[in-house]
């Protein structure tokens, strides 16, 4: 072999996946258009990295550069078009008399107490319908979910622009307006959507059988979100590093579809029939949970793996992650700025890149529960940089608590799911209620006790530099990095010490 080829092969650092590079190009295009200065610089580095791939990969076919950059230009064109559509047919800020439907009622303390805010959908002014939802705060009205309201007030509009400012959390949730209501003329007919009917039935069912505390916890775990829980309980889960159980994602979708796949496997369903049954189930569940980025990601990944089975191909985890990212970003490029999107993909990338070497290490050292511990460590390591950056809190016990909580949550999720569906068919069915109450209450009490420990965690500020540095270190010690284990140990040890030292000055 020629010397120059051996030299190129020697400096090859990472395993290559075509779809992963395509997903990077899609993200780069979005960040160049919408990101802050730091994100735009990162996007430029990613673009340069893609350009030098052929020089570090002897087996890379340079013809692939054309479709890869085609994706980049497609997202450059598609993103502003998608944003223009999102901004179209929205109200400008001003005073209006409008009609709208109550799409959500959020309570201050989780149960049916003081209302925090109402979310209005299907907003109409002079009979014309406008895009987006409106958030209003009222202390003297008792609207019900689905009520059609006629009111007058001042509406403040929010739109996305290409000025480098990232969209707000409200905008990512579809909330385009905040309103100060002067006068309410009355309420009309009650019009509930199917997802709202199911959510309300779930909330009512679990609150009646389990009480507001455990009932709100089970409803939040089943359908996502924490608006059914008290602030104290939500804070306890967040500080303990276990709040991800309320973000409907791979854990929930995996348990849900795993049960159906088990039954279909016992009945000897063919792969094509499996995907025909799984697709409507997953899409309907995604609809019930509001098509959040994390549940969309999990849904696409499951369908991708089932499709690979149909073609008789081996399921590639990295490729399925990248493919799902492209699909989710095509649905809405704004999801790239969603905390849910970012944490969800960090978690699965951590499982793909960090879990395998950790699992081998734990098994070699004969550490108990090696697989569960490796899963908890990999996901915690992957989501911690962004979690600390966004929430300014580091949970010292998150790895240990997740090893304990995740298996119990998986069992509880199955019980809650069975209780809900069986209660819809047989309203008097309450066989599982006692077990759910005991398990759910034990988890909540345990998390609350852990949250009272003085060393549960501490506040810390992560700068973008620290976030990037941590991710680079994780990438260099991941399964996809071709460095020797000896080099990975040095990088991991020195990188961790340096990151901890820098972070210590931010406490």
């Amino acid at each position: 072999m020629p010397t120059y080829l051996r030299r190129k092969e020697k400096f090859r650092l990472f395993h290559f996946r075509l779809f992963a590079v395509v997903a990077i190009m899609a993200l780069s295009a979005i960040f160049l258009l919408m990101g802050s200065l730091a994100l735009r610089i990162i996007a430029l580095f990613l673009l340069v990295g893609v350009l030098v791939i052929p020089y570090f990969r002897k087996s890379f076919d340079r013809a692939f550069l054309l479709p890869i950059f085609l994706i980049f230009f497609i997202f450059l064109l598609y993103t502003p078009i998608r944003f223009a559509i999102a901004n179209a047919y929205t109200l400008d800020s001003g005073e209006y008399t409008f009609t709208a439907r109550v799409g959500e009622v959020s309570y201050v303390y989780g149960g049916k107490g003081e209302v925090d805010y109402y979310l209005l959908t299907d907003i109409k002014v002079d009979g014309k319908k406008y895009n987006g939802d409106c958030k209003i705060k009222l202390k003297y009205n008792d609207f019900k979910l689905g009520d059609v309201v006629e009111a007058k007030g001042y509406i403040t509009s929010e739109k996305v622009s290409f000025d480098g400012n990232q969209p707000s959390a409200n905008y990512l949730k579809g909330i385009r307006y905040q309103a100060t209501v002067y006068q309410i003329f009355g309420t009309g007919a009650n019009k509930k959507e199917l997802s709202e009917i199911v959510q309300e039935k779930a909330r009512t069912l679990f609150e009646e059988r389990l009480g507001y505390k455990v009932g709100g916890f089970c409803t939040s775990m089943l359908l996502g979100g924490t608006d059914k829980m008290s602030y104290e309980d939500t804070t306890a889960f967040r500080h303990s590093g276990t709040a991800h159980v309320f973000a409907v994602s791979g854990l929930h979708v995996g348990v849900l579809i795993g049960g159906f796949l088990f039954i279909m496997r016992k009945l000897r369903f063919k792969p094509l029939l499996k995907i025909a049954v799984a697709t409507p189930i997953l899409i309907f569940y995604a609809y019930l949970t509001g098509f959040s980025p994390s549940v969309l990601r999990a849904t696409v990944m499951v369908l991708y793996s089932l499709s690979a089975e149909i073609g008789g191909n081996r399921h590639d985890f990295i490729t399925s992650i990248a493919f799902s990212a492209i699909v989710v970003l095509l649905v809405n490029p704004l999801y790239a700025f969603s905390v849910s999107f970012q944490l969800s993909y960090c978690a699965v990338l951590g499982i793909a890149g960090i879990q395998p070497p950790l699992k081998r290490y734990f098994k070699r050292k004969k550490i108990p529960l090696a697989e569960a511990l490796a899963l908890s460590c990999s996901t915690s390591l992957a989501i911690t940089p962004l979690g600390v950056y966004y929430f300014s809190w580091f949970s010292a016990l998150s790895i240990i608590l997740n090893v304990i909580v995740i298996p119990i949550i998986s069992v509880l999720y199955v019980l809650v799911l069975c209780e809900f569906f069986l209660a819809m068919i047989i309203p008097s069915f309450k066989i599982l209620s006692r077990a759910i109450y005991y398990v759910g209450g034990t988890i909540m009490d345990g998390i609350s006790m852990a949250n009272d420990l003085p060393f549960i965690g501490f506040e810390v500020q992560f700068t973008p530099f620290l976030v990037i540095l941590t991710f680079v270190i994780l990438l260099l010690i991941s399964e996809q990095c071709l460095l020797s284990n000896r080099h990975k140990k040095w990088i991991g040890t020195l990188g961790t010490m340096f990151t901890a030292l820098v972070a210590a000055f931010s406490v």
Side-chain angles (χ1 to χ4, degrees):
M1 183 184 292
T3 304
Y4 71 93
L5 283 181
R6 286 202 302 271
R7 187 178 298 117
K8 290 178 184 177
E9 189 70 12
K10 181 180 179 182
F11 287 100
R12 184 163 61 97
L13 284 178
F14 300 103
H15 293 296
F16 173 75
R17 299 288 195 280
L18 181 62
F19 261 108
V21 178
V22 172
I24 287 172
M25 297 303 286
L27 281 170
S28 298
I30 296 169
F31 288 161
L32 282 174
L33 286 170
M34 288 292 300
S36 61
L37 179 60
L39 284 176
R40 291 178 180 180
I41 292 173
I42 292 170
L44 287 173
F45 272 106
L46 292 174
L47 290 174
V48 173
V50 171
L51 285 172
V52 301
I53 280 176
Y55 299 98
F56 287 88
R57 292 286 305 189
K58 182 188 66 172
S59 60
F60 181 79
D61 187 349
R62 297 185 188 182
F64 281 130
L65 281 176
L66 182 60
I68 286 172
F69 274 94
L70 182 61
I71 291 290
F72 173 75
F73 288 112
I74 286 174
F75 270 89
L76 275 181
L77 294 173
Y78 171 71
T79 302
I81 293 173
R82 183 69 176 77
F83 292 168
I85 293 171
N87 283 330
Y89 304 107
T90 55
L91 283 167
D92 294 324
S93 297
E95 188 175 276
Y96 297 95
T97 298
F98 61 91
T99 59
R101 191 179 62 84
V102 179
E104 180 185 336
V105 183
S106 180
Y107 296 97
V108 175
Y109 299 109
K112 291 185 177 180
E114 181 185 349
V115 173
D116 186 16
Y117 66 84
Y118 295 98
L119 195 65
L120 305 181
T121 64
D122 302 332
I123 299 168
K124 292 182 181 179
V125 175
D126 297 329
K128 183 179 178 181
K129 187 176 178 179
Y130 290 88
N131 284 340
D133 300 335
C134 179
K135 195 174 184 180
I136 64 170
K137 295 198 173 188
L138 296 170
K139 294 183 178 179
Y140 50 86
N141 278 91
D142 188 21
F143 295 140
K144 296 181 179 63
L145 187 67
D147 283 351
V148 177
V149 179
E150 184 178 4
K152 180 179 181 180
Y154 188 88
I155 294 178
T156 304
S157 176
E158 179 182 0
K159 297 186 179 182
V160 171
S161 61
F162 293 95
D163 57 2
N165 293 322
Q166 296 180 22
S168 69
N170 277 339
Y171 197 97
L172 292 172
K173 294 176 182 177
I175 302 173
R176 303 289 189 265
Y177 318 102
Q178 305 271 351
T180 302
V181 175
Y182 307 145
Q183 186 177 2
I184 296 173
F185 300 108
T187 58
N190 188 281
K191 299 179 181 179
K192 293 178 184 174
E193 296 181 354
L194 177 59
S195 62
E196 294 167 350
I197 293 173
V198 174
Q199 289 178 17
E200 191 173 45
K201 281 186 176 295
R203 181 190 179 103
T204 303
L205 173 75
F206 291 121
E207 284 182 353
E208 287 178 351
R209 298 184 178 188
L210 308 172
Y212 285 147
K213 183 173 181 177
V214 179
F217 168 63
C218 291
T219 308
S220 297
M221 183 184 62
L222 181 66
L223 299 174
T226 56
D227 58 297
K228 294 99 180 163
M229 297 174 58
S230 69
Y231 174 78
E232 290 77 13
D233 290 332
T234 304
T235 302
F237 275 91
R238 182 167 63 85
H239 282 184
S240 65
T242 55
H244 58 85
V245 300
F246 306 117
V248 178
S249 57
L251 174 66
H252 303 72
V253 173
V255 173
L256 172 67
I257 204 63
F260 285 100
L261 289 177
F262 175 78
I263 295 170
M264 288 188 282
R265 197 175 297 116
K266 291 296 182 182
L267 296 176
R268 300 183 183 278
F269 280 23
K270 293 184 177 180
L272 189 60
L273 189 55
K274 285 182 185 178
I275 197 170
V277 174
T279 301
I281 293 172
L282 289 172
I283 292 176
F284 182 68
Y285 187 55
Y287 163 72
L288 290 180
T289 56
F291 291 105
S292 66
S294 56
V295 76
L296 277 177
R297 189 266 309 159
T299 299
V300 174
M301 287 183 66
V302 169
L303 294 179
Y304 177 91
S305 64
L306 292 175
S307 301
E309 187 180 347
I310 291 174
N313 298 318
R314 184 174 62 86
H315 171 234
D316 182 74
F317 194 39
I318 292 289
T319 301
S320 68
I321 294 171
F323 178 74
S324 69
I326 296 168
V327 173
V328 172
L329 293 175
L330 281 172
V331 171
N332 189 351
L334 278 175
Y335 283 154
F337 303 98
S338 165
V339 178
S340 173
F341 174 92
Q342 294 172 13
L343 291 178
S344 178
Y345 277 96
C346 282
V348 290
L349 288 171
I351 294 171
I354 308 172
Q355 185 195 18
L358 283 178
K359 184 168 68 174
R360 289 194 297 268
Y361 176 79
F362 292 152
K363 285 186 175 180
R364 191 165 60 247
K365 297 296 183 180
K366 297 181 180 180
I367 297 175
L369 301 172
E371 192 159 348
L373 186 59
L375 177 65
S376 178
C377 287
S378 60
T379 51
S380 295
L381 286 171
I383 66 176
T384 292
L386 278 179
V388 173
Y389 175 72
Y390 283 118
F391 307 116
S392 302
W393 181 265
F394 175 76
S395 175
L397 294 179
S398 62
I399 293 176
I400 297 173
L401 288 174
N402 277 297
V403 170
I404 300 169
V405 168
I406 288 178
I408 301 174
I409 286 289
S410 300
V411 174
L412 180 62
Y413 180 79
V414 173
L415 295 176
V416 170
L417 197 64
C418 292
E419 172 89 348
F420 177 66
F421 281 113
L422 289 173
M424 293 297 100
I425 301 170
I426 311 171
S428 59
F429 181 87
K430 297 182 179 181
I431 297 174
L432 300 175
S433 296
R434 185 178 294 275
I436 293 172
Y437 181 81
Y438 176 76
V439 177
T442 301
I443 291 174
M444 297 190 76
D445 291 341
I447 294 296
S448 295
M449 289 173 61
N451 195 53
D452 292 334
L453 296 174
F455 48 85
I456 183 66
F458 49 87
E459 290 187 3
V460 59
Q461 299 291 331
F462 249 35
T463 62
F465 167 75
L466 268 178
V467 174
I468 296 169
L469 173 65
T470 309
F471 281 132
V472 169
I473 293 169
L474 292 176
L475 183 62
L476 289 174
I477 64 174
S478 70
E479 181 81 348
Q480 282 63 45
C481 182
L482 300 178
L483 290 171
S484 67
N485 288 332
R486 182 169 60 87
H487 289 143
K488 288 183 180 181
K489 287 179 181 178
W490 277 105
I491 290 170
T493 303
L494 294 176
T496 303
M497 290 173 61
F498 179 73
T499 304
L501 182 65
V502 177
F505 289 97
S506 303
V507 177

